[in-house]
Amino acid sequence: MQSEEMQSAQQAERTVNPMAVRPMGSLLLRMSVPMMLSMLVQALYNVVDSVFVAQLSENALTAVSLAFPAQNLMIAVGVGTGVGVNALLSKSLGEGNHKRATGTAMNAVFLAACSYAVFALLGALFSRAFFQTQTDIVEIVDMGEDYLRVCMIGSFGLFGQMTYEKLFQSTGRTFYGMLIQAIGALTNIVLDPILIFGLCGAPAMGVTGAAVATVAGQCLAALLGVIFNERKNVELKMHWRDFRPDPFLIGRIYAVGVPSIIMSSIGSVMTFGMNRILIAFSSTAAAVFGVYFKLQSFVFMPVFGLTNGMVPIVAFNFGARNPDRIDQAIRLSIRYAVIIMCVGLAMFEIWPDRLLALFNASENMYGIGVFALRIICIHFVFAGFSVVASAVFQALGHGVLSLIVSVARQLVVLLPIAFVLARIGGLNAVWWAFPIAEIASVVLCACFLRRVYRAEIHSLNGTPAPDGETTATQP
């Protein structure tokens, strides 16, 4: 009898989506580890990009660092739209609505094309003006303009890669998302020294070569995303001949996605503001801030990979009305995120000088950077909880809560405090704004998570309504 029950359970796991039946620990790792590895590769190529550029000059490194807000804005639109796609698509699959899931996927590709058209135009027209608002050093402006224009005009690869990666996440096939991102990143890493320094017969293109290498890697990843989706994503069979944009589905995507886009875009505003504060001290201070952002990606990217694996699990089980599995996924994710952040904290506290050495740091950069890295990294431990909580809000359709947290942390707390500390305490005092802002973020996230648990997750155990639905409020 017991053998029959075990066989029945095994058969169920083979025929039912694993997000509904697989043990949560192994499921979360299966969903998250490929994304964590791919994002670590992504972090690696972001760092390698700057490491090679730093060999040219400190001004070259500063130029690439000052381009970050604009690049982050593109990523914000792509990732934010993907969050909306991920939540709606996973929820549709959890409810067994494959037609809506396929429609969501097709509209996601359409939105990626629209996003590219907007940013290509902005890059062609306003790249130089963007740098002129931050510095009057002509060499930095010239190099930055060349770098950013290539990245934005060639951003169709970026948007395509992110879109197909989210489609794989939504259906639980995170391995293919990892594969396309890893191949794109490795392509960039290989091409960087060749195009920057003119190796293997290629012309020496400087910072422009770094941008071309980035775009080439993204385009290859997008192409592989199209191929793998057609062959491996069996739930999503796209037929483009009769496709028409669906305003209803686009509205549902952006209901969750727009708050996420705004939330991520706030990071661009914060970075732009911090660059303005820091460059008033010196261009080296702005370069240190850029180096920090590259290095912290090694810590945050695995946590983002973890939450990217968690989001479809939470959304699927919300659609399937299984609060126990939602609770398990959230608790395990918080635990893993805090562990990752503690490792990152140890690295920054013990080896800040070695980390800066990767970027050909001058004595002046060491003098500023060692202290800066040790202070900023204090907020890592708090950030682990905040990142997971914000992802839960998005998965359940409450992206506005994530938006409130992000606005409070980066605009209401971090930037004003950084500005004040710069005036009363000088450059070394500015870095304390990061841990102060993160503590405020944790308090808000804890309050909102408690509210969401009570209103959305715990209520799934309610008495079924006459139509067979529970009384839980849908996002």
Side-chain angles (χ1 to χ4, degrees), residues 173-209:
R173 293 175 175 83
T174 53
F175 170 78
Y176 294 103
M178 177 201 72
L179 190 59
I180 64 173
Q181 190 171 54
I183 291 174
L186 291 173
T187 300
N188 182 29
I189 291 172
V190 171
L191 291 179
D192 257 337
I194 294 174
L195 298 180
I196 292 174
F197 304 117
L199 306 180
C200 303
M205 302 172 67
V207 294
T208 304

Side-chain angles (χ1 to χ4, degrees), residues 383-443:
F385 173 81
S386 300
V387 171
V388 174
S390 293
V392 172
F393 304 150
Q394 294 165 1
L396 298 180
H398 295 289
V400 68
L401 297 182
S402 297
L403 174 61
I404 293 171
V405 171
S406 186
V407 169
R409 177 186 176 273
Q410 299 185 82
L411 300 187
V412 177
V413 180
L414 196 155
L415 271 184
I417 287 181
F419 180 80
V420 172
L421 291 176
R423 294 297 180 271
I424 65 176
L427 178 58
N428 283 345
V430 172
W431 314 115
W432 286 100
F434 287 88
I436 293 171
E438 200 61 57
I439 292 172
S441 174
V442 166
V443 172

